[in-house]
C-alpha cells in the first residue's frame, strides 16, 4: 500500500522516502478486526476502534501496552539468536473481563524474521532480505495464481517445496529456542492424533 502512495496506514502517518525492509524509529501498531461481511481481517485505526466502541478505551490502552512489551521482549530474544523480529501479530480477547493474549506468539505463522548477519549490507545494496517466515510460502501461492479469493483453487504443492517449508520452520525453531528439533515418527499419524485427543478428553 505504501508503494501505491498510501501515507496513512491504520491511522498511523508514514513519511515519504521510507525504504522497504527499513526499520521504523519506533515500532508502530496497525490494528485489524474482523470485517462485518465475511471472515477476513479489516484494517482499522485506533480512533475508529474507539469511535465504534469495539472495545473500551482502557481495554485498548491495555492491549497497546501488552503489544509494545511483547514486541520488545520478542525483539530482544530474536537478537540473542542473530535474528531480527520484523513484524508480528498479536490477538487479544477478554477472559472474565481481563485482557488476555490468545493464539500463537512469535511463530513463523504470525511473524517475520530477518537474519541480522548481512542485514545492513543487503539494505544498502537494495537487495531482498534473507528471512525465516511463511512469507515465501505466500509468495509461492501468489506466483501460482492463489490469493485466497473466492472461487480460487489451491494449487498443488510439490513434495520438494513442502520439504523446504519444513526445513525452514525447523531452522527457525532451532534458532529461536537453541534446541535441536526432534522429528516425530509419523508412520501412523492417525493413531497418534486419536491418542492425543483421547488423552485430552480424559483430562476434561
Amino acid at each position: 500500500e505504501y508503494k501505491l502512495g498510501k501515507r496513512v496506514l491504520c491511522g498511523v502517518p508514514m513519511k515519504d522516502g521510507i525504504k522497504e525492509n527499513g526499520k521504523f524509529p519506533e515500532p508502530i501498531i496497525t490494528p485489524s478486526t474482523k470485517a462485518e461481511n465475511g471472515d477476513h481481517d479489516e484494517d482499522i485505526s485506533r480512533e475508529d476502534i474507539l469511535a465504534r466502541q469495539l472495545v473500551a478505551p482502557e481495554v485498548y490502552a491495555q492491549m497497546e501496552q501488552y503489544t509494545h512489551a511483547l514486541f520488545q521482549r520478542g525483539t530482544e530474544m530474536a537478537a540473542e539468536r542473530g535474528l531480527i523480529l520484523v513484524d508480528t501479530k498479536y490477538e487479544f480477547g477478554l477472559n472474565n473481563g481481563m485482557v488476555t493474549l490468545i493464539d500463537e506468539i512469535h511463530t513463523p505463522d504470525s511473524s517475520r524474521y530477518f537474519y541480522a548477519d548481512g542485514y545492513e549490507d543487503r539494505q544498502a545494496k537494495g537487495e531482498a532480505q534473507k528471512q525465516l517466515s511463511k512469507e515465501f510460502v505466500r509468495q509461492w501461492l501468489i506466483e501460482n495464481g492463489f490469493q485466497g479469493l473466492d472461487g480460487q483453487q489451491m494449487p498443488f504443492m510439490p513434495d520438494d517445496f513442502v520439504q523446504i517449508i519444513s526445513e525452514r520452520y525447523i531452522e527457525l525453531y532451532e534458532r529461536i529456542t537453541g534446541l535441536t528439533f526432534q522429528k516425530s515418527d509419523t508412520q501412523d499419524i492417525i493413531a497418534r492424533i486419536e491418542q492425543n485427543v483421547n488423552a485430552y478428553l480424559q483430562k476434561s
Side-chain angles (χ1 to χ4, degrees), residues 53-65:
Q53 298 182 338
L54 298 180
V55 296
E58 61 272 18
V59 170
Y60 190 86
Q62 185 73 79
M63 290 193 294
E64 279 194 332
Q65 181 183 343

Side-chain angles (χ1 to χ4, degrees), residues 121-175:
D121 186 53
R122 284 187 285 271
Q123 278 297 98
K125 294 178 180 178
E127 298 175 352
Q129 288 296 331
K130 186 179 179 184
Q131 64 174 292
L132 281 171
S133 70
K134 70 172 185 179
E135 178 67 17
F136 77 104
V137 179
R138 191 177 72 87
Q139 290 298 330
W140 182 89
L141 290 170
I142 291 174
E143 291 167 4
N144 285 271
F146 183 80
Q147 293 176 278
L149 302 177
D150 289 341
Q152 290 187 334
Q153 185 172 352
M154 178 78 173
F156 173 76
M157 192 171 285
D159 290 343
D160 57 349
F161 187 68
V162 172
Q163 182 63 31
I164 292 173
I165 296 171
S166 297
E167 290 171 355
R168 287 205 182 186
Y169 270 55
I170 290 170
E171 181 183 356
L172 183 54
Y173 169 85
E174 294 182 338
R175 288 291 292 265

Side-chain angles (χ1 to χ4, degrees), residues 4 12 56 74 77 79 85-86 103 141 148 153-154 158 182 186 194 204:
L4 294 174
V12 181
M77 294 177 71
L85 176 59
V86 181
D103 210 356
L141 290 170
Q153 185 172 352
M154 178 78 173
Q182 302 294 329
T186 58
E194 289 177 350
S204 301

Side-chain angles (χ1 to χ4, degrees), residues 28-121:
I28 64 172
I29 296 177
T30 54
S32 67
T33 187
K34 291 298 180 186
E36 292 184 9
N37 297 318
D39 60 356
H40 63 282
D41 290 342
E42 176 187 36
D43 289 343
I44 191 170
S45 70
R46 181 183 192 276
E47 291 72 23
D48 285 341
I49 289 174
L50 298 178
R52 289 163 56 178
Q53 298 182 338
L54 298 180
V55 296
E58 61 272 18
V59 170
Y60 190 86
Q62 185 73 79
M63 290 193 294
E64 279 194 332
Q65 181 183 343
Y66 286 164
T67 295
H68 284 298
L70 288 164
F71 191 76
Q72 176 62 31
R73 182 61 181 138
T75 298
E76 294 168 355
M77 294 177 71
E80 292 171 0
R81 301 293 180 181
L83 296 172
I84 299 170
L85 176 59
V86 181
D87 51 29
T88 191
K89 176 184 71 172
Y90 303 120
E91 296 191 26
F92 296 98
L94 287 175
N95 181 27
N96 295 324
M98 295 181 61
V99 176
T100 305
L101 179 68
I102 61 177
D103 210 356
E104 83 273 5
I105 177 173
H106 298 160
T107 71
D109 282 336
S110 64
S111 314
R112 288 191 305 155
Y113 291 89
F114 290 160
Y115 290 87
D117 185 30
Y119 168 80
E120 296 291 351
D121 186 53

